[in-house]
Amino acid sequence: MKVLLKIIFIFLLFPIKTYAFENPKVKINNFFIQKYEVTIAEFSNFANKTNFKTEAEKQGFGYEYGVGWEKRKNWNYKTPYGKNPDSLTEPAVHVSYFEAEQYCKFINGRLPTFAEWSTAAYTQVLDSKVFEKNKTYSYPSGDKAEKMNSTDLLSYKKHYDVLKLPEGINGLVAMGGNVWEWTKDRKDNSALTAGSSWWYSSSNTTKNGAQFKPADFYAIYVGFRCAFEK
C-alpha cells in the first residue's frame, strides 16, 4: 500500500506529458495542403485502424538504388532502413502512389495535382515576413537553394524528421529535398513525383526537376502529403 501511494504521489508531482503530432492544413488559394509530409505516425494510425498492409510489407522488402534498384529486406514505412526509425515524425516512405491515395482518402483528402503542389511550393500566396507575396521563386526555399535536405545542402544522407526541418515558401516544410512526393498527375502507368529527395542535389528541387515514376513503385526515397477541398 505504501508503495502504491508513493507511485501515485510521484505521478502527481511529475505528470506524464503526452504528445500528439498534428499535420496542419495550409490554405493555398482554393485548396488546402498539409504543412508536412505524411509521417510514420500518421500512416501507422491509418494502417492500424484499417488493417492495411503495404506492398513492401507483403513482399518483405523495400527498394534502394545501388547497382540498379536493389531489394532491402524488411524495409517498409515502419522500418524504413530495416530497423526502428529515430523518430515517428520521419516521412512515411516505401509507399506507392495507390497506397498514398488510399491514405489521403482515409483522412478525407486526396493527392495534390502537380499544379497545386507547384503553386504551394514556389509561389508565396500567404502574407510573410520572409518571402514576397505573389512572387514565384525558383526553389521551395526562395530565390536560391538553401536549408533543404539534399546532398549539397543539409546533407543528412537520409530522410529526416519533418519537425526538425525549416519552413519554406508558404510556411511549408520539406517541399524541396527530404523525399520525393507523389502528385495526382498520371501518364499511363506512371505518376509524377515532385520536390526531389535527400539522395539528389538541390538542382532537382526546381519545378522542372519533377519526375515520373511507376505508380506501383515504392522506395526509400518517395513519400507524399495530402491536399483537401476544405
Short mmCIF file of all heavy atoms in Angstrom, two decimals, residues 92-151:
data_model
loop_
_atom_site.label_atom_id
_atom_site.label_comp_id
_atom_site.label_asym_id
_atom_site.label_seq_id
_atom_site.Cartn_x
_atom_site.Cartn_y
_atom_site.Cartn_z
N ALA A 92 6.70 8.97 -44.05
CA ALA A 92 6.36 7.59 -44.41
C ALA A 92 6.82 7.33 -45.85
O ALA A 92 6.38 8.01 -46.78
CB ALA A 92 4.86 7.37 -44.28
N VAL A 93 7.72 6.38 -46.02
CA VAL A 93 8.25 6.04 -47.34
C VAL A 93 7.96 4.57 -47.64
O VAL A 93 7.29 3.90 -46.87
CB VAL A 93 9.77 6.34 -47.43
CG1 VAL A 93 10.03 7.83 -47.33
CG2 VAL A 93 10.53 5.60 -46.33
N HIS A 94 8.45 4.07 -48.78
CA HIS A 94 8.10 2.73 -49.25
C HIS A 94 6.58 2.62 -49.41
O HIS A 94 5.97 1.60 -49.09
CB HIS A 94 8.60 1.65 -48.29
CG HIS A 94 10.08 1.65 -48.08
ND1 HIS A 94 10.98 1.36 -49.09
CD2 HIS A 94 10.83 1.91 -46.98
CE1 HIS A 94 12.21 1.43 -48.61
NE2 HIS A 94 12.15 1.78 -47.33
N VAL A 95 5.99 3.70 -49.91
CA VAL A 95 4.54 3.77 -50.12
C VAL A 95 4.30 4.11 -51.59
O VAL A 95 4.84 5.10 -52.10
CB VAL A 95 3.91 4.85 -49.22
CG1 VAL A 95 2.43 5.02 -49.52
CG2 VAL A 95 4.12 4.51 -47.75
N SER A 96 3.51 3.31 -52.28
CA SER A 96 3.23 3.54 -53.70
C SER A 96 2.22 4.67 -53.89
O SER A 96 1.57 5.11 -52.92
CB SER A 96 2.70 2.27 -54.36
OG SER A 96 1.36 2.02 -53.94
N TYR A 97 2.04 5.08 -55.12
CA TYR A 97 1.03 6.09 -55.47
C TYR A 97 -0.35 5.64 -54.99
O TYR A 97 -1.10 6.41 -54.39
CB TYR A 97 1.05 6.30 -56.98
CG TYR A 97 -0.10 7.10 -57.53
CD1 TYR A 97 -0.02 8.48 -57.69
CD2 TYR A 97 -1.29 6.47 -57.93
CE1 TYR A 97 -1.08 9.21 -58.22
CE2 TYR A 97 -2.34 7.19 -58.45
CZ TYR A 97 -2.24 8.56 -58.59
OH TYR A 97 -3.29 9.27 -59.10
N PHE A 98 -0.68 4.40 -55.27
CA PHE A 98 -2.01 3.88 -54.92
C PHE A 98 -2.21 3.82 -53.40
O PHE A 98 -3.30 4.11 -52.89
CB PHE A 98 -2.20 2.49 -55.53
CG PHE A 98 -2.06 2.47 -57.02
CD1 PHE A 98 -0.97 1.85 -57.61
CD2 PHE A 98 -3.00 3.08 -57.84
CE1 PHE A 98 -0.82 1.82 -58.99
CE2 PHE A 98 -2.86 3.07 -59.22
CZ PHE A 98 -1.77 2.44 -59.80
N GLU A 99 -1.17 3.47 -52.69
CA GLU A 99 -1.25 3.41 -51.23
C GLU A 99 -1.35 4.81 -50.63
O GLU A 99 -2.09 5.03 -49.66
CB GLU A 99 -0.04 2.66 -50.68
CG GLU A 99 -0.06 1.18 -51.06
CD GLU A 99 1.27 0.48 -50.91
OE1 GLU A 99 2.32 1.16 -50.77
OE2 GLU A 99 1.28 -0.77 -50.94
N ALA A 100 -0.65 5.76 -51.24
CA ALA A 100 -0.75 7.16 -50.80
C ALA A 100 -2.17 7.68 -51.04
O ALA A 100 -2.74 8.37 -50.18
CB ALA A 100 0.26 8.02 -51.55
N GLU A 101 -2.75 7.32 -52.18
CA GLU A 101 -4.13 7.70 -52.49
C GLU A 101 -5.09 7.19 -51.42
O GLU A 101 -5.99 7.91 -50.98
CB GLU A 101 -4.56 7.11 -53.83
CG GLU A 101 -4.39 8.01 -55.02
CD GLU A 101 -5.15 7.48 -56.22
OE1 GLU A 101 -5.28 6.24 -56.36
OE2 GLU A 101 -5.60 8.30 -57.03
N GLN A 102 -4.93 5.95 -51.02
CA GLN A 102 -5.82 5.35 -50.03
C GLN A 102 -5.69 6.05 -48.69
O GLN A 102 -6.69 6.26 -47.98
CB GLN A 102 -5.52 3.86 -49.90
CG GLN A 102 -5.95 3.06 -51.11
CD GLN A 102 -5.66 1.58 -50.95
OE1 GLN A 102 -6.30 0.89 -50.15
NE2 GLN A 102 -4.68 1.08 -51.68
N TYR A 103 -4.46 6.41 -48.31
CA TYR A 103 -4.28 7.13 -47.06
C TYR A 103 -5.01 8.48 -47.11
O TYR A 103 -5.74 8.84 -46.18
CB TYR A 103 -2.80 7.37 -46.76
CG TYR A 103 -2.62 8.28 -45.57
CD1 TYR A 103 -2.65 7.79 -44.27
CD2 TYR A 103 -2.50 9.66 -45.74
CE1 TYR A 103 -2.55 8.62 -43.18
CE2 TYR A 103 -2.40 10.51 -44.65
CZ TYR A 103 -2.42 9.99 -43.37
OH TYR A 103 -2.34 10.85 -42.29
N CYS A 104 -4.79 9.23 -48.18
CA CYS A 104 -5.41 10.55 -48.29
C CYS A 104 -6.94 10.45 -48.24
O CYS A 104 -7.61 11.27 -47.60
CB CYS A 104 -4.96 11.24 -49.58
SG CYS A 104 -3.23 11.77 -49.58
N LYS A 105 -7.48 9.44 -48.91
CA LYS A 105 -8.93 9.24 -48.90
C LYS A 105 -9.41 8.96 -47.48
O LYS A 105 -10.48 9.44 -47.07
CB LYS A 105 -9.30 8.08 -49.82
CG LYS A 105 -10.80 7.86 -49.97
CD LYS A 105 -11.10 6.75 -50.97
CE LYS A 105 -12.60 6.55 -51.12
NZ LYS A 105 -12.91 5.46 -52.09
N PHE A 106 -8.64 8.22 -46.71
CA PHE A 106 -8.98 7.88 -45.33
C PHE A 106 -9.15 9.13 -44.47
O PHE A 106 -9.98 9.17 -43.56
CB PHE A 106 -7.91 6.97 -44.74
CG PHE A 106 -8.07 6.66 -43.28
CD1 PHE A 106 -9.05 5.77 -42.86
CD2 PHE A 106 -7.25 7.25 -42.33
CE1 PHE A 106 -9.20 5.47 -41.50
CE2 PHE A 106 -7.39 6.95 -40.98
CZ PHE A 106 -8.38 6.06 -40.57
N ILE A 107 -8.37 10.17 -44.74
CA ILE A 107 -8.46 11.41 -43.95
C ILE A 107 -9.24 12.49 -44.71
O ILE A 107 -9.08 13.68 -44.47
CB ILE A 107 -7.07 11.93 -43.53
CG1 ILE A 107 -6.19 12.26 -44.74
CG2 ILE A 107 -6.37 10.93 -42.62
CD1 ILE A 107 -4.91 13.02 -44.36
N ASN A 108 -10.09 12.04 -45.66
CA ASN A 108 -10.97 12.93 -46.44
C ASN A 108 -10.19 13.92 -47.30
O ASN A 108 -10.60 15.07 -47.47
CB ASN A 108 -11.92 13.68 -45.50
CG ASN A 108 -12.82 12.75 -44.72
OD1 ASN A 108 -13.40 11.82 -45.28
ND2 ASN A 108 -12.92 12.96 -43.42
N GLY A 109 -9.06 13.45 -47.80
CA GLY A 109 -8.25 14.27 -48.70
C GLY A 109 -7.97 13.55 -49.99
O GLY A 109 -8.64 12.59 -50.37
N ARG A 110 -6.95 14.00 -50.68
CA ARG A 110 -6.53 13.43 -51.96
C ARG A 110 -5.09 13.84 -52.20
O ARG A 110 -4.55 14.70 -51.49
CB ARG A 110 -7.42 13.94 -53.09
CG ARG A 110 -7.44 15.48 -53.18
CD ARG A 110 -8.26 16.00 -54.33
NE ARG A 110 -8.38 17.44 -54.29
CZ ARG A 110 -7.46 18.32 -54.66
NH1 ARG A 110 -6.27 17.88 -55.08
NH2 ARG A 110 -7.67 19.62 -54.60
N LEU A 111 -4.48 13.27 -53.19
CA LEU A 111 -3.16 13.74 -53.58
C LEU A 111 -3.30 15.07 -54.31
O LEU A 111 -4.28 15.28 -55.05
CB LEU A 111 -2.48 12.72 -54.50
CG LEU A 111 -2.01 11.43 -53.82
CD1 LEU A 111 -1.51 10.44 -54.86
CD2 LEU A 111 -0.91 11.72 -52.81
N PRO A 112 -2.37 15.99 -54.13
CA PRO A 112 -2.45 17.28 -54.85
C PRO A 112 -2.10 17.09 -56.32
O PRO A 112 -1.30 16.22 -56.67
CB PRO A 112 -1.39 18.13 -54.15
CG PRO A 112 -0.40 17.13 -53.63
CD PRO A 112 -1.19 15.91 -53.26
N THR A 113 -2.71 17.89 -57.18
CA THR A 113 -2.26 17.92 -58.56
C THR A 113 -0.88 18.56 -58.60
O THR A 113 -0.50 19.27 -57.66
CB THR A 113 -3.21 18.72 -59.46
OG1 THR A 113 -3.16 20.10 -59.04
CG2 THR A 113 -4.65 18.20 -59.36
N PHE A 114 -0.15 18.34 -59.67
CA PHE A 114 1.17 18.96 -59.76
C PHE A 114 1.06 20.48 -59.81
O PHE A 114 1.90 21.19 -59.26
CB PHE A 114 1.92 18.43 -60.99
CG PHE A 114 3.31 18.99 -61.12
CD1 PHE A 114 4.25 18.82 -60.11
CD2 PHE A 114 3.69 19.71 -62.26
CE1 PHE A 114 5.54 19.34 -60.23
CE2 PHE A 114 4.97 20.23 -62.39
CZ PHE A 114 5.89 20.05 -61.37
N ALA A 115 -0.01 20.98 -60.45
CA ALA A 115 -0.21 22.44 -60.50
C ALA A 115 -0.42 22.99 -59.09
O ALA A 115 0.14 24.03 -58.72
CB ALA A 115 -1.41 22.77 -61.38
N GLU A 116 -1.23 22.30 -58.29
CA GLU A 116 -1.45 22.73 -56.91
C GLU A 116 -0.16 22.63 -56.10
O GLU A 116 0.20 23.57 -55.37
CB GLU A 116 -2.53 21.86 -56.27
CG GLU A 116 -3.92 22.08 -56.80
CD GLU A 116 -4.91 21.06 -56.29
OE1 GLU A 116 -4.50 19.94 -55.92
OE2 GLU A 116 -6.12 21.38 -56.26
N TRP A 117 0.50 21.50 -56.23
CA TRP A 117 1.74 21.29 -55.49
C TRP A 117 2.76 22.38 -55.83
O TRP A 117 3.43 22.93 -54.95
CB TRP A 117 2.30 19.91 -55.82
CG TRP A 117 3.38 19.45 -54.90
CD1 TRP A 117 3.26 18.62 -53.82
CD2 TRP A 117 4.78 19.81 -54.96
NE1 TRP A 117 4.48 18.44 -53.21
CE2 TRP A 117 5.42 19.16 -53.88
CE3 TRP A 117 5.53 20.61 -55.81
CZ2 TRP A 117 6.79 19.30 -53.64
CZ3 TRP A 117 6.89 20.76 -55.57
CH2 TRP A 117 7.51 20.10 -54.50
N SER A 118 2.86 22.72 -57.11
CA SER A 118 3.83 23.72 -57.57
C SER A 118 3.50 25.11 -57.06
O SER A 118 4.40 25.87 -56.66
CB SER A 118 3.89 23.73 -59.11
OG SER A 118 4.31 22.48 -59.59
N THR A 119 2.22 25.46 -57.07
CA THR A 119 1.82 26.75 -56.52
C THR A 119 2.21 26.85 -55.05
O THR A 119 2.80 27.84 -54.61
CB THR A 119 0.30 26.96 -56.67
OG1 THR A 119 -0.05 26.98 -58.06
CG2 THR A 119 -0.14 28.27 -56.03
N ALA A 120 1.90 25.80 -54.31
CA ALA A 120 2.22 25.79 -52.88
C ALA A 120 3.72 25.85 -52.63
O ALA A 120 4.19 26.51 -51.69
CB ALA A 120 1.64 24.53 -52.24
N ALA A 121 4.50 25.20 -53.48
CA ALA A 121 5.95 25.08 -53.26
C ALA A 121 6.74 26.30 -53.70
O ALA A 121 7.77 26.61 -53.10
CB ALA A 121 6.47 23.85 -53.99
N TYR A 122 6.28 26.99 -54.74
CA TYR A 122 7.12 28.03 -55.36
C TYR A 122 6.54 29.44 -55.34
O TYR A 122 7.29 30.41 -55.49
CB TYR A 122 7.42 27.65 -56.81
CG TYR A 122 8.06 26.29 -56.96
CD1 TYR A 122 7.37 25.23 -57.54
CD2 TYR A 122 9.35 26.05 -56.50
CE1 TYR A 122 7.94 23.98 -57.67
CE2 TYR A 122 9.94 24.79 -56.62
CZ TYR A 122 9.23 23.76 -57.20
OH TYR A 122 9.80 22.51 -57.32
N THR A 123 5.22 29.59 -55.17
CA THR A 123 4.60 30.92 -55.18
C THR A 123 4.12 31.29 -53.79
O THR A 123 3.29 30.58 -53.21
CB THR A 123 3.41 30.96 -56.17
OG1 THR A 123 3.89 30.63 -57.48
CG2 THR A 123 2.81 32.36 -56.21
N GLN A 124 4.64 32.41 -53.26
CA GLN A 124 4.25 32.84 -51.93
C GLN A 124 2.85 33.44 -51.98
O GLN A 124 2.66 34.58 -52.41
CB GLN A 124 5.24 33.86 -51.37
CG GLN A 124 4.93 34.32 -49.96
CD GLN A 124 4.99 33.19 -48.94
OE1 GLN A 124 5.88 32.35 -48.98
NE2 GLN A 124 4.02 33.16 -48.04
N VAL A 125 1.86 32.68 -51.56
CA VAL A 125 0.46 33.10 -51.60
C VAL A 125 0.07 33.84 -50.32
O VAL A 125 -0.73 34.77 -50.35
CB VAL A 125 -0.45 31.86 -51.81
CG1 VAL A 125 -1.91 32.22 -51.66
CG2 VAL A 125 -0.17 31.22 -53.17
N LEU A 126 0.63 33.44 -49.22
CA LEU A 126 0.26 33.98 -47.91
C LEU A 126 1.12 35.18 -47.52
O LEU A 126 2.21 35.38 -48.06
CB LEU A 126 0.41 32.89 -46.85
CG LEU A 126 -0.30 31.56 -47.16
CD1 LEU A 126 0.02 30.53 -46.08
CD2 LEU A 126 -1.79 31.75 -47.30
N ASP A 127 0.62 35.96 -46.59
CA ASP A 127 1.44 37.05 -46.04
C ASP A 127 2.66 36.45 -45.36
O ASP A 127 2.57 35.41 -44.70
CB ASP A 127 0.63 37.86 -45.04
CG ASP A 127 -0.49 38.67 -45.69
OD1 ASP A 127 -0.32 39.07 -46.86
OD2 ASP A 127 -1.54 38.86 -45.04
N SER A 128 3.80 37.09 -45.52
CA SER A 128 5.04 36.54 -44.98
C SER A 128 6.02 37.65 -44.63
O SER A 128 6.08 38.68 -45.32
CB SER A 128 5.68 35.60 -46.00
OG SER A 128 6.96 35.18 -45.59
N LYS A 129 6.78 37.44 -43.57
CA LYS A 129 7.85 38.37 -43.21
C LYS A 129 9.16 38.00 -43.92
O LYS A 129 10.13 38.76 -43.87
CB LYS A 129 8.07 38.36 -41.69
CG LYS A 129 6.88 38.88 -40.90
CD LYS A 129 7.16 38.85 -39.40
CE LYS A 129 5.98 39.38 -38.60
NZ LYS A 129 6.24 39.34 -37.13
N VAL A 130 9.16 36.84 -44.56
CA VAL A 130 10.39 36.34 -45.19
C VAL A 130 10.33 36.42 -46.71
O VAL A 130 11.29 36.82 -47.37
CB VAL A 130 10.65 34.88 -44.76
CG1 VAL A 130 11.91 34.33 -45.42
CG2 VAL A 130 10.75 34.78 -43.24
N PHE A 131 9.17 36.05 -47.27
CA PHE A 131 9.02 35.97 -48.72
C PHE A 131 8.04 37.01 -49.24
O PHE A 131 7.10 37.41 -48.54
CB PHE A 131 8.55 34.57 -49.13
CG PHE A 131 9.48 33.48 -48.68
CD1 PHE A 131 9.15 32.66 -47.60
CD2 PHE A 131 10.69 33.26 -49.33
CE1 PHE A 131 10.00 31.65 -47.18
CE2 PHE A 131 11.55 32.24 -48.92
CZ PHE A 131 11.21 31.45 -47.83
N GLU A 132 8.25 37.44 -50.48
CA GLU A 132 7.39 38.46 -51.11
C GLU A 132 6.09 37.84 -51.59
O GLU A 132 6.11 36.87 -52.36
CB GLU A 132 8.15 39.10 -52.28
CG GLU A 132 7.38 40.21 -52.97
CD GLU A 132 8.17 40.78 -54.14
OE1 GLU A 132 9.41 40.69 -54.13
OE2 GLU A 132 7.52 41.31 -55.08
N LYS A 133 4.98 38.39 -51.16
CA LYS A 133 3.68 37.84 -51.53
C LYS A 133 3.46 37.91 -53.03
O LYS A 133 3.81 38.89 -53.69
CB LYS A 133 2.56 38.59 -50.80
CG LYS A 133 1.20 37.93 -50.92
CD LYS A 133 0.16 38.60 -50.04
CE LYS A 133 -1.18 37.89 -50.15
NZ LYS A 133 -2.20 38.51 -49.28
N ASN A 134 2.90 36.84 -53.58
CA ASN A 134 2.56 36.68 -55.01
C ASN A 134 3.78 36.49 -55.91
O ASN A 134 3.64 36.42 -57.14
CB ASN A 134 1.71 37.85 -55.52
CG ASN A 134 0.37 37.94 -54.80
OD1 ASN A 134 -0.23 36.92 -54.49
ND2 ASN A 134 -0.06 39.16 -54.52
N LYS A 135 4.94 36.41 -55.34
CA LYS A 135 6.14 36.16 -56.14
C LYS A 135 6.36 34.65 -56.30
O LYS A 135 6.18 33.88 -55.36
CB LYS A 135 7.37 36.78 -55.49
CG LYS A 135 8.67 36.50 -56.25
CD LYS A 135 9.87 37.17 -55.61
CE LYS A 135 11.16 36.81 -56.33
NZ LYS A 135 12.35 37.48 -55.75
N THR A 136 6.75 34.24 -57.51
CA THR A 136 7.09 32.84 -57.76
C THR A 136 8.61 32.70 -57.72
O THR A 136 9.33 33.39 -58.44
CB THR A 136 6.55 32.37 -59.11
OG1 THR A 136 5.11 32.45 -59.08
CG2 THR A 136 6.96 30.92 -59.39
N TYR A 137 9.08 31.80 -56.88
CA TYR A 137 10.51 31.59 -56.66
C TYR A 137 11.00 30.36 -57.43
O TYR A 137 10.22 29.51 -57.86
CB TYR A 137 10.79 31.43 -55.17
CG TYR A 137 10.57 32.68 -54.36
CD1 TYR A 137 9.30 32.99 -53.85
CD2 TYR A 137 11.61 33.56 -54.10
CE1 TYR A 137 9.10 34.15 -53.09
CE2 TYR A 137 11.42 34.72 -53.35
CZ TYR A 137 10.16 35.00 -52.85
OH TYR A 137 9.97 36.15 -52.11
N SER A 138 12.29 30.26 -57.55
CA SER A 138 12.89 29.12 -58.25
C SER A 138 12.91 27.85 -57.42
O SER A 138 12.83 26.74 -57.96
CB SER A 138 14.33 29.46 -58.67
OG SER A 138 14.36 30.55 -59.56
N TYR A 139 13.01 28.03 -56.10
CA TYR A 139 13.13 26.88 -55.20
C TYR A 139 12.09 26.97 -54.09
O TYR A 139 11.62 28.08 -53.77
CB TYR A 139 14.53 26.85 -54.56
CG TYR A 139 15.67 26.75 -55.54
CD1 TYR A 139 16.29 27.89 -56.02
CD2 TYR A 139 16.10 25.50 -55.98
CE1 TYR A 139 17.35 27.79 -56.93
CE2 TYR A 139 17.14 25.39 -56.88
CZ TYR A 139 17.76 26.54 -57.36
OH TYR A 139 18.80 26.43 -58.26
N PRO A 140 11.76 25.87 -53.46
CA PRO A 140 10.86 25.93 -52.31
C PRO A 140 11.45 26.70 -51.13
O PRO A 140 10.74 27.03 -50.19
CB PRO A 140 10.66 24.45 -51.94
CG PRO A 140 10.92 23.71 -53.21
CD PRO A 140 12.02 24.48 -53.87
N SER A 141 12.74 27.00 -51.21
CA SER A 141 13.41 27.78 -50.17
C SER A 141 13.55 29.26 -50.54
O SER A 141 14.05 30.04 -49.74
CB SER A 141 14.79 27.20 -49.89
OG SER A 141 15.57 27.19 -51.08
N GLY A 142 13.14 29.63 -51.77
CA GLY A 142 13.25 31.02 -52.19
C GLY A 142 14.02 31.18 -53.49
O GLY A 142 14.04 30.30 -54.35
N ASP A 143 14.71 32.33 -53.63
CA ASP A 143 15.47 32.62 -54.85
C ASP A 143 16.66 31.69 -55.03
O ASP A 143 17.10 31.43 -56.14
CB ASP A 143 15.98 34.07 -54.84
CG ASP A 143 14.88 35.07 -55.17
OD1 ASP A 143 14.03 34.75 -56.02
OD2 ASP A 143 14.88 36.15 -54.56
N LYS A 144 17.19 31.21 -53.93
CA LYS A 144 18.32 30.30 -54.02
C LYS A 144 18.07 29.05 -53.20
O LYS A 144 17.25 29.05 -52.27
CB LYS A 144 19.62 30.99 -53.57
CG LYS A 144 19.62 31.46 -52.13
CD LYS A 144 20.95 32.15 -51.81
CE LYS A 144 21.01 32.59 -50.35
NZ LYS A 144 22.31 33.22 -50.02
N ALA A 145 18.77 28.00 -53.55
CA ALA A 145 18.63 26.74 -52.84
C ALA A 145 19.39 26.82 -51.51
O ALA A 145 20.60 27.04 -51.48
CB ALA A 145 19.18 25.60 -53.69
N GLU A 146 18.68 26.64 -50.41
CA GLU A 146 19.32 26.67 -49.10
C GLU A 146 18.46 25.94 -48.07
O GLU A 146 17.24 25.83 -48.23
CB GLU A 146 19.59 28.10 -48.64
CG GLU A 146 18.35 28.97 -48.56
CD GLU A 146 18.66 30.41 -48.18
OE1 GLU A 146 19.84 30.68 -47.88
OE2 GLU A 146 17.74 31.23 -48.19
N LYS A 147 19.10 25.40 -47.06
CA LYS A 147 18.43 24.79 -45.91
C LYS A 147 17.46 23.67 -46.30
O LYS A 147 16.45 23.46 -45.63
CB LYS A 147 17.69 25.85 -45.10
CG LYS A 147 18.62 26.92 -44.52
CD LYS A 147 17.84 27.97 -43.76
CE LYS A 147 18.75 29.06 -43.23
NZ LYS A 147 18.00 30.13 -42.52
N MET A 148 17.76 22.97 -47.39
CA MET A 148 16.94 21.82 -47.78
C MET A 148 17.75 20.55 -47.61
O MET A 148 18.98 20.56 -47.72
CB MET A 148 16.46 21.96 -49.24
CG MET A 148 15.51 23.12 -49.46
SD MET A 148 14.85 23.17 -51.16
CE MET A 148 16.32 23.67 -52.09
N ASN A 149 17.07 19.45 -47.34
CA ASN A 149 17.76 18.18 -47.13
C ASN A 149 18.08 17.53 -48.48
O ASN A 149 17.38 16.63 -48.95
CB ASN A 149 16.90 17.24 -46.28
CG ASN A 149 17.64 15.96 -45.94
OD1 ASN A 149 18.87 15.87 -46.06
ND2 ASN A 149 16.90 14.94 -45.52
N SER A 150 19.15 18.01 -49.09
CA SER A 150 19.66 17.45 -50.34
C SER A 150 21.16 17.20 -50.16
O SER A 150 21.76 17.63 -49.17
CB SER A 150 19.40 18.40 -51.52
OG SER A 150 19.97 19.67 -51.27
N THR A 151 21.76 16.52 -51.12
CA THR A 151 23.16 16.10 -50.95
C THR A 151 24.14 17.26 -50.80
O THR A 151 25.18 17.12 -50.16
CB THR A 151 23.61 15.24 -52.14
OG1 THR A 151 23.41 15.97 -53.36
CG2 THR A 151 22.83 13.94 -52.19
#
